[in-house]
């Protein structure tokens, strides 16, 4: 039987015990003034979305002034990879209106490190919505396209990319993006498009904006910061 979740005008705080994650399935919507906070137990992501394999209706939508926080119980390093928000399968993430999402990966002392937000699908930010993500690994990682049409995205990684897409990163319609990474702050496999927006991208050990495809910038303000000998933008 398909699942569904709708939280509206409600404040919820969930503190996960160790070795557990919150789990949402089916069409999941936060609306109105909903404010939902998940705090991880230190070993698994605070929240997982789209886990049920027999359900093809998964999606996560934040709208109106809804807020979702996926945070860690402490900044003490884990021996394993602990992500902030994990989204599985073909589960799109959409933020619209004045909604807000914040996610943080837990630092790791081991070989594998956590993401802030990780999804196999797409991410869309529009209107005046906002995402803030931080991690030791990729801050915002998507197997699909990352589309930022208005709003603001802040992504900080201390060991990888600020924003990574297995397809394209498209920034438009007056959006503001502030991204920092050890590797390229913005990395898209099939191209980066920036139009009528502002982007601040910095990398501590690489180029700031990179794609094996085309990087196209139009009518925008783009500031890059990289170490000596590295390009600001490379395609």
């Amino acid at each position: 039987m398909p699942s569904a979740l709708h939280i509206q005008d409600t404040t919820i705080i969930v503190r996960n015990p160790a070795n557990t994650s919150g789990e949402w399935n089916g069409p999941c919507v936060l609306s109105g003034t909903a404010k939902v906070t998940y705090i991880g137990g230190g070993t698994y992501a605070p929240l997982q979305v789209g886990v049920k394999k027999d359900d093809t209706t998964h999606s996560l939508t934040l709208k109106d002034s809804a807020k979702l926080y996926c945070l860690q119980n402490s900044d003490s390093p884990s021996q394993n990879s602990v992500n902030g928000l994990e989204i599985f399968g073909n589960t799109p993430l959409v933020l619209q209106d004045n909604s807000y999402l914040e996610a943080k990966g837990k630092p790791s002392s081991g070989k594998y490190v956590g993401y802030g937000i990780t999804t196999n699908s797409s991410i869309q930010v529009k209107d005046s919505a906002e995402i803030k993500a931080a991690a030791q690994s990729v801050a915002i990682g998507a197997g699909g396209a990352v589309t930022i049409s208005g709003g603001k995205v802040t992504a900080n990684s201390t060991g990888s990319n600020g924003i990574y897409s297995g397809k394209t990163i498209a920034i438009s319609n007056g959006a503001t993006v502030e991204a920092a990474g050890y590797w390229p702050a913005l990395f898209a496999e099939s191209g980066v498009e920036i139009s009528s927006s502002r982007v601040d991208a910095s990398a501590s050990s690489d180029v700031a904006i990179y794609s094996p495809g085309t990087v196209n910038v139009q009518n925008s303000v783009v500031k890059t910061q990289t170490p000596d000998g590295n390009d600001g933008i490379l395609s």
Side-chain angles (χ1 to χ4, degrees):
M1 179 178 179
S3 301
L5 174 71
H6 187 185
I7 301 174
Q8 181 177 5
D9 300 331
T10 303
T11 298
I12 299 172
I13 300 175
V14 179
R15 297 182 183 273
N16 293 328
N19 302 317
T20 63
S21 292
E23 181 178 325
W24 294 358
N25 293 291
C28 300
V29 178
L30 274 64
S31 66
T33 58
K35 181 180 179 182
V36 179
T37 303
Y38 273 82
I39 300 173
T43 49
Y44 291 98
L47 179 62
Q48 299 178 330
V49 179
V51 179
K52 289 174 63 176
K53 295 182 179 180
D54 59 346
D55 191 337
T56 61
T57 67
H58 300 306
S59 63
L60 176 56
T61 302
L62 279 67
K63 59 184 182 178
D64 302 325
S65 297
K67 295 179 173 62
L68 174 61
Y69 298 84
C70 300
L71 308 176
Q72 304 297 333
N73 59 351
S74 75
D75 289 329
S76 299
S78 169
Q79 293 183 345
N80 303 306
S81 169
V82 182
N83 302 316
L85 172 62
E86 296 179 345
I87 303 175
F88 296 92
N90 188 26
T91 303
L93 169 62
V94 178
L95 280 84
Q96 63 189 62
D97 304 321
N98 292 293
S99 59
Y100 179 83
L101 168 61
E102 183 172 340
K104 188 174 183 180
K106 191 173 179 64
S108 173
S109 59
K111 180 179 179 181
Y112 300 102
V113 294
Y115 286 57
I117 299 169
T118 177
T119 176
N120 297 321
S121 189
S122 61
I123 297 174
Q124 183 179 12
V125 180
K126 56 186 179 179
D127 303 322
S128 297
E130 182 175 355
I131 292 180
K132 182 178 181 181
Q136 189 173 343
S137 185
V138 178
I140 299 174
V146 175
T147 304
I148 306 166
S149 178
K152 181 177 182 180
V153 174
T154 304
N156 292 293
S157 168
T158 58
S160 190
N161 307 117
I163 303 174
Y164 169 83
S165 170
K167 293 187 178 180
T168 58
I169 296 174
I171 303 167
S172 65
N173 197 30
T176 297
V177 174
E178 299 174 356
Y182 182 82
W183 303 121
L186 302 182
F187 185 159
E189 297 287 354
S190 299
V192 177
E193 298 279 341
I194 303 172
S195 63
S196 303
S197 297
R198 181 183 181 92
V199 174
D200 289 275
S202 63
S204 60
S205 190
D206 208 332
V207 301
I209 299 173
Y210 174 73
S211 176
T214 300
V215 176
N216 187 10
V217 181
Q218 298 181 13
N219 301 319
S220 298
V221 176
V222 177
K223 294 185 177 181
T224 64
Q225 183 175 347
T226 62
D228 290 343
N230 286 274
D231 294 321
I233 299 173
L234 180 65
S235 65

